[in-house]
Structure formats: structure tokens, C-alpha cells
Amino acid sequence: EVQLLQSGGGLVLPGGSLRLSCGASGFSFSQYAMSWVRQAPGKGLEWVSTITASGDNIYYSDSVRGRSTISRDNSKNTLYLQMNSLRAEDTATYYCGKAWGAISKYIDNWGQGTLVTVSS
Amino acid sequence: DIQMTQSPSSLSASVGDKVTITCRASQGINIYLAWFQQKPGKAPRSLIYATSTLQSGVPSRFSGSGSGTDFTLTIDSLQPEDFATYSCQQYNTYPPTFGPGTKVEVK
């Protein structure tokens, strides 16, 4: 069974930093692309970033590019999202997701979500 | 970016009803359209990918169709556990974009 266990959310001051983690089990982590998707309170889903299985290709939304870094450690079966220069509009529940394939953008399994609140 | 719209934004239905939700892309996306179900406070659940392929474990009362820019999610014989918000997503090109969601409520 695919499991994605997220950690790292919380309350952070504007301008602060946070690192989200997503531990994977139940599948061959190194063979699948992984993504982050967020959802602001009461709003729809918004894609944030994708990293291919090998880590060679990385994509970001315009809203986080230059402030966030997606990475993966295939030896630890873990996905990360380092978020810097956080703004109030980054407040959201962040979900990690396993892609359907090595380079796919389609998420077939989701983490439980972690809430990031940016507020003074 | 490809814009995704959905209609209706919400609907009221009863158990046993047939429900149809429409999703439209601002430009052609081939077959790269997915549908997700989400309940309050929960993570999304992947239902359908490649327009019409059911994710493993998804009941057969769910179906998807369409091509190009216009797509449909149909739920035959709505069940109590189906009351939720449904969102479409195009994954043909970066950035992948989601529709705003359709809330299916109890009539």
C-alpha cells in the first residue's frame, strides 16, 4: 500500500522559512516523479512543484519560483519542499503526491496534508 | 497557462441520482485530464486519469469522457459517500492546472 507521511508544517512569520517533508513507503520511490500541491483555506487546489524520478528535471509554479526548492533523497524515500521568504498568501495546506510515472504530472496518491500558516 | 473551468460550481442531488459535471480547458489538452474527489478536511482522492481511466479501487459508477477541451465526469446512482467536491486537472503541459471545483451536496 502506498503511504505518504508528511511533516514540517506550522506557524511561521512573514519572511520566514520552513521545510516540508514527505516520507514514502509501499512503492519504489526512486522510480516515480513527486509533486507538491497546495490549497489555501476555502480555495481550490494549486500545483506548486514537481520533481522527476531521477531529480534531473524540476518545475515550479510562478507563485513559488525563486523562493522554494523541491528536492528528494531517494536513499531515504523522502521528498522535501524548502520554502523561503514566506508570505501571507503562502498560507495553505500543502499536499505531497506520488506521480503515475517517472515524469508524469498526474498524482495518483496523496499525502495527508500539512498546514502552513504565515502570520505575524 | 491553461485555464480550467467547471460547471456547475455546486449542485444538489439525492442518493440514486445520476450526476454530471463538466470541465472545460482554455486550449486543447489531448486526453490528459484527471478528476479528483475531496471531502472537507481530507486530502484529495484521485478518481480518473487520461480522461476516462479509473484509478484502482474507484467504483465503476464513476466515469469520465471527453476530448480536446471539453470533458465530463459522471456519477451513476449517487451514493452517500459521494457527497464531496470534485475537481478536474489538466496535466498536458506545465503548469498543471486545476478547475475551481464542483460541490455535490445533499438535496
Side-chain angles (χ1 to χ4, degrees):
Chain A
E1 179 191 6
V2 172
Q3 290 195 336
L4 300 171
L5 187 60
Q6 298 182 227
S7 60
L11 175 64
V12 61
L13 295 171
S17 298
L18 209 58
R19 189 177 82 159
L20 306 182
S21 299
C22 173
S25 62
F27 65 102
S28 297
F29 181 75
S30 63
Q31 297 183 18
Y32 293 90
M34 298 291 294
S35 293
W36 291 97
V37 171
R38 69 184 182 184
Q39 187 170 37
K43 302 297 184 181
L45 298 166
E46 179 191 12
W47 171 80
V48 173
S49 183
T50 296
I51 183 168
T52 55
S54 64
D56 288 346
N57 295 96
I58 287 173
Y59 306 87
Y60 296 103
S61 67
D62 288 346
S63 59
V64 306
R65 184 178 294 111
R67 301 186 298 120
S68 296
T69 302
I70 190 173
S71 62
R72 63 191 297 158
D73 186 335
N74 286 345
S75 68
K76 295 183 178 180
N77 291 349
T78 303
L79 173 74
Y80 303 99
L81 183 67
Q82 175 70 44
M83 300 187 294
N84 302 322
S85 303
L86 283 161
R87 308 164 179 166
E89 54 265 37
D90 294 316
T91 294
T93 296
Y94 285 72
Y95 297 99
C96 65
K98 167 191 168 291
W100 182 79
I103 60 171
S104 178
K105 300 178 282 296
Y106 166 66
I107 294 173
D108 60 9
N109 284 272
W110 298 73
Q112 85 277 18
T114 188
L115 179 61
V116 172
T117 302
V118 183
S119 176
S120 56
Chain B
D1 297 0
I2 297 175
Q3 308 303 314
M4 305 299 292
T5 57
Q6 288 182 233
S7 60
S9 57
S10 66
L11 64 91
S12 297
S14 301
V15 172
D17 285 352
K18 179 178 180 178
V19 169
T20 300
I21 298 169
T22 298
C23 176
R24 175 166 288 175
S26 60
Q27 62 190 75
I29 57 171
N30 297 303
I31 64 165
Y32 301 111
L33 191 282
W35 290 97
F36 302 94
Q37 176 195 67
Q38 192 175 22
K39 296 180 180 180
K42 300 295 186 181
R45 175 193 181 193
S46 302
L47 296 178
I48 289 171
Y49 64 98
T51 297
S52 60
T53 303
L54 261 60
Q55 191 67 40
S56 175
V58 173
S60 59
R61 63 180 179 273
F62 290 90
S63 63
S65 63
S67 64
T69 60
D70 295 316
F71 301 86
T72 299
L73 171 70
T74 300
I75 310 172
D76 286 321
S77 189
L78 195 70
Q79 296 301 298
E81 60 269 30
D82 299 337
F83 292 99
T85 297
Y86 294 85
S87 300
C88 61
Q89 183 210 28
Q90 71 79 20
Y91 57 101
N92 184 56
T93 58
Y94 280 103
T97 45
F98 291 88
T102 294
K103 188 174 184 179
V104 177
E105 300 175 299
V106 177
K107 189 172 186 178

